[in-house]
Amino acid sequence: MTNPLTGLATARRNGSPYGITSICSAHPLVIQAAIRRAVADPDLMLLIEATCNQVNQFGGYTGMTPDLFVAFVKEIASREGLQPSRIIFGGDHLGPNPWRSEPAAQAMAKAEAMVTAYVWAGFSKIHLDASMGCAGEPAALDDETIATRAARLAKAAEKAARAKGGALPLYIIGTEVPVPGGADHALSDLKPTEAAAARRTIESHREIFAREGLGETFGRVIALVVQPGVEFGSENVIAYKPDASKALTGLLDEQPSLVYEAHSTDYQSRAALTALVANGFPILKVGPGLTFALREALYGLDLIAAEMVPGYGERSLARAMERVMLAAPGHWRSHYHGGETSLHLQRHYSYSDRIRYYWGNPAASVAVGRLREVLTGVGIPETLMRQFLPTLPSGLGPASDPEAILLAAVDAVLADYEAACRGG
């Protein structure tokens, strides 16, 4: 099956653009839902990405190294009947970000080792992101430094790929990168990347890659990360405005081999996603939006269980998650702001969805397992489905399968992305 990433720029140039959804999550139910959608559509290639903080040579916050992440996804694919050859693995924000508090020399050495580990594990789409300053450096670096460090990382990736054999990686570059996981404050407006800034990024990378003997490698750069004017904060979403990014879109006419990669597309409407694909942003990255939908469904089932199952307790899962997050606040404390009521609401309902970091906690797993157990085989009345899970088909209730309900919640989000990728 042809790699759809290689044809994105040509399709746009020919007036028949298509897109691809980038699944940025390590939650097994999110991965399962995405794989099931691919199983149902034999023409669909599945793009699953891991980020530098989530998965790295030291385990990241998931505890998974790149090879363990690939094995984790492939195990689910095997269980669901999807051939591994239909999965594209991508590495996102690969660079010194996890170690930016260290001197640049140390951070970059670790970044090189991380990129090498990703390529050895089978990741073939590599986002080179060296845009952040390290210890003693400005937060924002100049174009030449960023491109020089990106070239250094590309060399490590190329060396690993050639030693491993097989297809060489495709690359994403870009320095104006939306905040991973969303902004940590309310947003009112967002200015897209200036076309001139995007042009400088492309030119500096092309020039420095050539200087470093990576001219052929730059030929496998397929996309640039820019800010199209989409983002989500804790409590609101900035919707895509096509007119605001016209100059940025026009730049692609000068760069026939490139498209843009759109980060933070979570919570955009189907129409907005479709417009992004049509306007040159065909790689649509989504992560928190998927786990947000999963959390909504879990909390809906939590309320249903409280109504239907004697002895379950009132909001047992939500209470357990509150205890878990309060006991280990590291994933949310610096991102959420306000008084106690505001912090409580954000912990559970924020669009940033930082609760996603806690589902793998043993206590959280026990609480979710108990919820699924007490509702398995229990037919949920249509009226309760309408009350607590109104966006899902009411017929799922009598099926007595909580997992089916959770997968359907994630799939509803994926359906919007697939429709957008096919033109709406």
Side-chain angles (χ1 to χ4, degrees):
M1 186 176 288
T2 303
N3 187 336
L5 293 170
T6 61
L8 293 171
T10 300
R12 178 191 176 275
R13 200 165 60 246
N14 293 342
S16 53
Y18 64 87
I20 185 167
T21 306
S22 169
I23 310 296
C24 303
S25 178
H27 195 291
L29 284 175
V30 170
I31 301 296
Q32 185 179 356
I35 286 173
R36 284 195 176 184
R37 182 164 277 275
V39 169
D41 183 352
D43 296 325
L44 185 66
M45 285 285 284
L46 185 59
L47 173 58
I48 296 178
E49 304 218 32
T51 67
C52 60
N53 290 312
Q54 179 190 60
V55 172
N56 58 50
Q57 70 270 37
F58 303 111
Y61 67 75
T62 63
M64 286 188 279
T65 56
D67 57 337
L68 289 178
F69 181 81
V70 168
F72 157 73
V73 173
K74 286 185 175 179
E75 191 279 327
I76 298 174
S78 176
R79 198 168 67 230
E80 296 293 331
L82 182 71
Q83 290 294 321
S85 59
R86 292 181 56 197
I87 304 174
I88 302 167
F89 287 96
D92 198 23
H93 298 285
L94 300 192
N97 186 59
W99 310 285
R100 64 188 182 277
S101 62
E102 301 177 17
Q106 293 175 211
M108 283 298 296
K110 290 178 180 178
E112 285 178 299
M114 176 175 62
V115 168
T116 298
Y118 266 80
V119 173
W120 269 110
F123 287 76
S124 59
K125 174 184 177 288
I126 304 295
H127 173 209
L128 303 170
D129 180 12
S131 59
M132 66 293 301
C134 298
E137 296 181 327
L141 301 176
D142 60 272
D143 285 337
E144 182 172 356
T145 300
I146 292 168
T148 299
R149 290 180 181 178
R152 178 177 168 182
L153 296 173
K155 280 185 179 180
E158 292 289 291
K159 181 179 179 181
R162 293 181 190 281
K164 183 175 185 290
L168 296 172
L170 302 175
Y171 294 98
I172 313 296
I173 59 172
T175 59
E176 189 161 344
V177 182
V179 178
D184 62 1
H185 56 279
L187 302 170
S188 58
D189 198 10
L190 202 61
K191 188 177 180 181
T193 301
E194 296 282 351
R199 184 182 291 107
R200 284 194 302 272
T201 295
I202 296 168
E203 291 174 351
S204 64
H205 279 73
R206 181 181 284 120
E207 177 185 336
I208 289 170
F209 271 53
R211 186 186 73 195
E212 297 296 321
L214 296 168
E216 187 274 336
T217 301
F218 190 84
R220 282 180 273 113
V221 173
I222 61 168
L224 175 71
V225 177
V226 292
Q227 175 52 267
V230 302
E231 185 57 278
F232 56 93
S234 188
E235 299 177 356
N236 69 320
V237 178
I238 300 297
Y240 177 56
K241 299 174 183 176
D243 288 346
S245 61
K246 276 187 175 180
L248 191 56
T249 300
L251 175 62
L252 291 177
D253 295 335
E254 305 173 16
Q255 308 289 339
S257 64
L258 297 176
V259 292
Y260 295 128
E261 177 169 280
H263 290 218
S264 298
T265 68
D266 309 72
Y267 313 110
Q268 296 291 315
S269 68
R270 181 180 292 195
L273 295 170
T274 302
L276 280 164
V277 171
N279 292 342
F281 303 88
I283 305 174
L284 302 174
K285 301 184 80 69
V286 57
L290 298 170
T291 44
F292 184 93
L294 178 66
R295 194 272 315 152
E296 282 187 315
L298 282 166
Y299 275 19
L301 291 175
D302 191 34
L303 289 163
I304 287 170
E307 293 283 352
M308 291 189 66
V309 180
Y312 175 75
E314 182 181 351
R315 304 216 59 195
S316 179
L317 174 61
R319 290 172 184 266
M321 295 308 295
E322 176 75 346
R323 290 192 295 271
V324 167
M325 287 186 285
L326 288 176
H331 290 303
W332 60 265
R333 176 165 284 166
S334 63
H335 298 269
Y336 296 155
H337 310 286
E340 286 306 310
T341 297
S342 179
L343 289 173
H344 172 80
L345 293 174
Q346 290 173 79
R347 281 194 294 272
H348 295 272
Y349 306 109
S350 167
Y351 281 129
S352 299
D353 193 55
R354 301 196 69 83
I355 195 174
R356 71 186 185 276
Y357 295 99
Y358 296 90
W359 293 118
N361 179 283
S365 296
V366 168
V368 172
R370 177 171 178 258
L371 172 63
R372 293 173 64 168
E373 181 181 359
V374 301
L375 287 178
T376 296
V378 177
I380 301 172
E382 180 177 315
T383 51
L384 281 187
M385 288 292 292
R386 286 175 60 95
Q387 178 65 40
F388 297 116
L389 295 168
T391 63
L392 299 181
S394 59
L396 286 169
S400 308
D401 183 1
E403 181 176 284
I405 291 173
L406 298 175
L407 291 171
V410 176
D411 188 70
V413 179
L414 293 174
D416 283 342
Y417 279 83
E418 184 174 330
C421 289
R422 295 184 173 183

